[in-house]
Amino acid sequence: MPELPDVEVFRRYFHSTSLHQRIAGIALLAHDLRRVARDNELEAALVGKEFTGSRRHGKYFFADLEEDKWLMLHFGMTGYLKYFRDTDEEPQHMRLRVDFENGAHLGYTCQRKLGSILVVENMTQFIKDEGLGPDALDPTLDAETFSATLSASRSTVKAALMEQERIAGIGNIYSDEILYRARVHPGARANRLNSHVWQDLFNATGEVLQTAIDCEVDPERFPADYLLPHRHKDGTCPCGGELVQRKISGRTAYFCPACQTRGVT
DNA sequence: ACATTGACCTGAGAGC
DNA sequence: TGCTCTCAGGTCAATG
């Protein structure tokens, strides 16, 4: 689930629940995540401190600690956050629990263990080391940069949109929605699209991601003419046609062959 | 150098 | 019903 809009919703949830509460202890409940800090490193960074803010770059979430340190969480395919007080509210598959002095807890959950928990000393450097491109919603990202970065790919436009090294934050679901809104075929070659198409893809990217955040990624709240609420087996395009489900660049793509004709040769 | 594939891990849901 | 199989929204190493 967690692409840029999902992580942004998690961040806001974190921001409204978990700031400025002294951390009494932590429990690291799984040590076989994709990447995970050592227990003592987490303890040293967190215990006795409090969270003072929150940030996001692409699909990466950063909880500000005091003293220029960050708790970095990546959610893989199945992660989310849950703030709770009573044990019976404890989420399933919790991998990290932060215990606050006030008796509340913050749980990091990740069923499939494809997420990461790290302590980061220098956020800017970390993002650079990870090789991440600019955040897809970075207000300083312009259409020219977007287009130049993505059109350099010889892959499909869908794969290019999902490359975190080019633009950070877009995954399988939202690449489908962006392509749908811009009426571009997901299998089109990125380096064959003209500047008109790139301009539309750029606009669609901002629009789709912002709309998803505004809807708090609840499919029921998405505009009726979005693909997402119909993005399932035997789904019907808002145009009335049948959606096609096909593997494109190794990922399951949903698209409407009637609407998405741009880039098809 | 770059693009694509398969592996990683677990559980839900499809299909028999 | 119950068992097996396939697949899932992310990344990364290995392969072509």
Side-chain angles (χ1 to χ4, degrees):
Chain A
M1 178 209 290
E3 302 181 33
L4 185 153
D6 309 271
V7 178
E8 178 61 19
V9 171
F10 297 161
R11 189 193 68 75
R12 293 179 184 191
Y13 174 78
F14 170 89
H15 206 90
S16 66
T17 57
S18 304
L19 297 189
H20 310 303
Q21 298 156 65
R22 192 67 52 195
I23 297 166
I26 58 145
L28 185 58
L29 305 164
H31 297 84
D32 54 345
L33 300 175
R34 169 166 284 286
R35 286 187 293 173
V36 62
R38 308 176 69 88
D39 293 74
N40 54 9
E41 187 186 4
L42 278 169
E43 277 191 29
L46 292 167
V47 178
K49 311 293 195 322
E50 56 184 65
F51 295 120
T52 55
S54 62
R55 319 195 190 186
R56 183 191 56 69
H57 188 101
K59 303 172 188 173
Y60 291 66
F61 167 77
F62 301 88
D64 301 18
L65 291 157
E66 299 155 270
E67 305 160 8
D68 270 6
K69 268 192 187 179
W70 289 269
L71 172 66
M72 192 294 291
L73 299 176
H74 190 284
F75 298 94
M77 285 171 82
T78 52
Y80 64 94
L81 295 174
K82 165 105 179 190
Y83 182 85
F84 63 100
R85 287 187 175 276
D86 304 328
T87 314
D88 60 4
E89 293 177 86
E90 186 177 301
Q92 271 205 308
H93 313 296
M94 187 163 61
R95 310 306 187 190
L96 173 68
R97 193 188 65 231
V98 177
D99 304 322
F100 297 109
E101 276 184 3
N102 61 16
H105 313 273
L106 177 71
Y108 163 87
T109 282
C110 193
Q111 182 206 113
R112 288 178 59 194
K113 297 182 175 177
L114 296 174
S116 300
I117 302 172
L118 295 175
V119 175
V120 169
E121 309 264 346
N122 182 333
M123 210 183 104
T124 313
Q125 190 59 42
F126 175 81
I127 289 166
K128 192 177 285 182
D129 292 345
E130 290 288 297
L132 297 177
D135 184 81
L137 281 183
D138 181 341
T140 68
L141 175 64
D142 57 45
E144 288 68 35
T145 310
F146 182 89
S147 162
T149 308
L150 295 180
S151 63
S153 169
R154 284 187 280 136
S155 177
T156 63
V157 60
K158 177 172 174 65
L161 281 167
M162 288 192 293
E163 272 184 56
Q164 305 305 298
E165 296 77 8
R166 297 184 194 274
I167 303 289
I170 303 166
N172 197 31
I173 293 276
Y174 290 100
S175 63
D176 276 0
E177 186 69 59
I178 290 162
L179 291 163
Y180 175 74
R181 300 224 65 72
R183 307 176 80 84
V184 178
H185 193 286
R189 290 284 140 185
N191 57 6
R192 305 290 295 278
L193 300 175
N194 66 38
S195 59
H196 268 295
V197 173
W198 282 117
Q199 180 67 52
D200 289 352
L201 282 167
F202 174 73
N203 293 340
T205 296
E207 207 179 288
V208 161
L209 297 177
Q210 191 56 54
T211 300
I213 293 167
D214 294 342
C215 296
E216 293 177 299
V217 299
D218 176 356
E220 302 202 346
R221 292 176 56 188
F222 275 80
D225 62 342
Y226 265 51
L227 174 70
L228 230 105
H230 315 283
R231 192 188 179 282
H232 52 80
K233 207 171 183 318
D234 302 323
T236 305
C237 175
C239 83
E242 274 184 28
L243 292 176
V244 169
Q245 183 217 60
R246 188 196 303 168
K247 288 270 182 204
I248 291 180
S249 295
R251 306 303 302 275
T252 305
Y254 284 83
F255 63 99
C256 174
C259 296
Q260 295 172 249
T261 54
R262 300 174 91 187
V264 182
T265 48

